């Protein structure tokens, strides 16, 4: 299996622009998570889906952030408009069914907003 | 709600010495506990996990951790450090209060430095 695939690996954009991050979870996994990693705040859970349904989006920082999972093999995290403080590494992770399973992480997207 | 505290943002040990990375957690439900490792410019990789049963769990690369409920701790150890162990280590807790997966709450991470 190729693992969790995120694209792009790096993104540099100007403040005010829309940014879309993409994630393909591992086939057969039914839970998908978006995390953000910064030096100041560490790893934060933004949102997660179970069977394509958003379960908890309490970690989404503000309305500029939105996430979708239109099917079991694809998810997006969108920031519109982007701001410099959104600069971070964004990780997508997926888990197979079951309560004791761990999350498998993608390699992340490094976002820089200038 | 859950929280994780990792004592020491940086830990330095000599090659061949014992590695001890400390993790304390807080959870309102029986916790599931995890240690992940992150190498530079990489995603996180699972080292080991505790869910139920035996409190001493063994993971990859010679690491192990012991769940101590009375101390709310889940410290990570390795008897003999290797240069390749240099990385960032994260402790995480999941409440797993319902069916299916739940999001992880991570500690701030501990940067492990191995001295030759």
């Amino acid at each position: 299996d190729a693992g969790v695939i995120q694209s792009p690996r790096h993104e540099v954009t100007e403040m005010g622009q829309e940014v879309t991050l993409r994630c393909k979870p591992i086939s057969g996994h039914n839970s998908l998570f978006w995390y953000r990693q910064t030096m100041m705040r560490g790893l934060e859970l933004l949102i997660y889906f179970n069977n394509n349904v958003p379960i908890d989006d309490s970690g989404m920082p503000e309305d500029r952030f939105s996430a979708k999972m239109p099917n079991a093999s694809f998810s997006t995290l969108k920031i519109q408009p982007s701001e410099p403080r959104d600069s971070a590494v964004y990780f997508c992770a997926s888990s197979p069914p079951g309560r004791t399973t761990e999350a498998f992480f993608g390699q992340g997207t490094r976002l820089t907003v200038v | 709600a859950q929280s994780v505290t990792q004592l020491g943002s940086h830990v330095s040990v000599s090659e061949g010495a014992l590695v001890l990375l400390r993790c304390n957690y807080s959870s309102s439900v029986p916790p599931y506990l995890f240690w992940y490792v992150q190498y530079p410019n990489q995603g996180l990789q699972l080292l080991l996990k505790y869910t139920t049963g035996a409190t001493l769990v063994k993971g990859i690369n010679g690491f192990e951790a012991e769940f101590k409920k009375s101390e709310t701790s889940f410290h990570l150890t390795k008897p003999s450090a290797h240069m390749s162990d240099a990385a960032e280590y994260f402790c995480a807790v999941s409440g797993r209060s319902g069916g299916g997966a739940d999001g992880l709450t991570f500690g701030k991470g501990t940067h492990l430095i191995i001295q030759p």
Side-chain angles (χ1 to χ4, degrees):
Chain A
D1 198 316
V4 176
I5 299 173
Q6 292 187 245
S7 64
R9 288 294 311 276
H10 302 273
E11 177 80 39
V12 180
T13 190
E14 291 184 349
M15 182 175 60
Q17 295 298 306
E18 177 181 296
V19 175
T20 300
L21 311 181
R22 297 173 175 79
C23 175
K24 177 179 170 56
I26 294 172
S27 177
H29 287 194
N30 69 336
S31 294
L32 183 140
F33 310 83
W34 283 100
Y35 290 88
R36 178 172 67 175
Q37 185 178 35
T38 61
M39 289 293 291
M40 291 296 295
R41 300 175 68 88
L43 274 158
E44 304 171 280
L45 176 67
L46 300 178
I47 184 172
Y48 76 93
F49 297 82
N50 196 28
N51 295 320
N52 311 337
V53 176
I55 303 299
D56 184 357
D57 65 354
S58 60
M60 297 285 263
E62 44 195 281
D63 292 345
R64 298 184 297 106
F65 286 70
S66 63
K68 294 182 179 180
M69 191 165 188
N71 57 62
S73 59
F74 184 67
S75 177
T76 59
L77 177 67
K78 185 178 294 186
I79 309 172
Q80 165 63 17
S82 58
E83 297 182 3
R85 59 194 169 117
D86 302 331
S87 297
V89 180
Y90 291 81
F91 288 102
C92 177
S94 67
S95 293
R99 297 184 59 200
T100 64
T101 55
E102 68 271 19
F104 294 77
F105 282 75
Q107 294 202 310
T109 295
R110 182 175 295 276
L111 174 65
T112 303
V113 183
V114 298
Chain B
Q2 295 87 36
S3 67
V4 175
T5 302
Q6 290 184 240
L7 298 177
S9 59
H10 291 78
V11 170
S12 180
V13 302
S14 299
E15 189 175 18
L18 171 71
V19 175
L20 171 62
L21 304 183
R22 300 178 186 273
C23 172
N24 288 88
Y25 70 91
S26 172
S27 178
S28 56
V29 298
Y32 291 178
L33 295 158
F34 305 80
W35 275 99
Y36 281 84
V37 61
Q38 184 180 31
Y39 298 101
N41 299 315
Q42 297 291 319
L44 280 72
Q45 178 184 4
L46 181 72
L47 277 178
L48 48 80
K49 65 179 180 180
Y50 167 79
T51 54
T52 57
T55 56
L56 181 64
V57 292
K58 296 184 184 300
I60 63 172
N61 301 339
F63 284 93
E64 62 182 38
E66 186 171 11
F67 169 61
K68 293 187 176 180
K69 183 178 179 180
S70 61
E71 299 178 7
T72 60
S73 70
F74 191 57
H75 302 330
L76 181 71
T77 61
K78 182 175 180 177
S80 177
H82 191 272
M83 295 299 292
S84 61
D85 295 327
E88 192 83 14
Y89 291 80
F90 293 92
C91 181
V93 63
S94 170
R96 305 283 185 178
S97 57
D102 197 1
L104 295 171
T105 298
F106 283 90
K108 294 292 188 183
T110 297
H111 186 63
L112 178 62
I113 302 162
I114 310 297
Q115 304 281 4

